[in-house]
Amino acid sequence: SGTRPGASMGTPYYIAPEQARGEQSVDTRADIYSLGASFYHMVAGEVPCPGQSAADVISKHLTEAVTTPRTRNPLVSGAVDWVIVKMMEKAREDRYQTPTELVRDLEAIAQGGAPAGYQQEVEAKSTAIPKLRRGRILRRTGRFRRR
């Protein structure tokens, strides 16, 4: 944790925004971002920020929201998708703060569960639609059957 003097910048495809800006106070959260970009590449089959040049790629890391890996590969579970997106948040305060937090969520997924934040987000989205309206929507889409 803390500033890592002499830390190299790495490949533009996996660079954290704070490294791209040349900030001096780069910490473990930059590594988490880079690992997230690697993880993204692994599950989606392409880098998260493709571009024609290094400058183009770096610009995307700085300014564009990442396209979710699940958009590019529908076989990626919602929980894994959520973890990768959290790893790649532009603001380091919004990412996992420590590798221990990340490992805890990955272990939850490996054991058939889901990260706590993901469960809360899913519950919030499902309760945002009133129950009556949700029933109508589901009937209309054919995903709802009366027994």
Side-chain angles (χ1 to χ4, degrees):
S1 181
T3 304
R4 294 181 307 164
S8 65
M9 207 155 115
T11 304
Y13 291 116
Y14 309 100
I15 193 168
E18 58 270 25
Q19 285 177 300
R21 286 189 295 270
E23 293 180 14
Q24 295 299 309
S25 61
V26 175
D27 58 26
T28 301
R29 294 172 293 182
D31 295 328
I32 291 171
Y33 183 96
S34 296
L35 179 61
S38 298
F39 196 11
Y40 185 106
H41 192 173
M42 227 171 42
V43 302
E46 57 187 276
V47 294
C49 299
Q52 298 298 316
S53 67
D56 188 30
V57 171
I58 290 169
S59 175
K60 288 180 180 181
H61 279 287
L62 290 169
T63 61
E64 291 184 12
V66 68
T67 301
T68 65
R70 196 172 190 181
T71 301
R72 295 189 171 148
N73 178 359
L75 298 176
V76 174
S77 75
V80 169
D81 187 79
W82 185 87
V83 166
I84 294 171
V85 170
K86 182 174 173 103
M87 292 173 76
M88 294 190 65
E89 289 288 348
K90 301 292 180 215
R92 59 183 146 191
E93 297 78 26
D94 296 334
R95 285 181 221 142
Y96 287 99
Q97 298 301 293
T98 66
T100 302
E101 291 177 9
L102 170 61
V103 168
R104 180 196 63 224
D105 281 355
L106 292 174
E107 286 176 342
I109 293 168
Q111 295 170 4
Y118 173 73
Q119 291 171 338
Q120 292 164 354
E121 191 174 303
V122 167
E123 288 171 11
K125 285 181 182 177
S126 69
T127 58
I129 301 172
K131 290 189 187 287
L132 179 62
R133 181 162 168 68
R134 190 170 5 148
R136 287 185 197 150
I137 291 169
L138 293 174
R139 276 194 299 275
R140 201 172 297 143
T141 61
R143 295 186 314 189
F144 179 81
R145 295 177 188 211
R146 290 194 186 263
R147 295 183 186 230

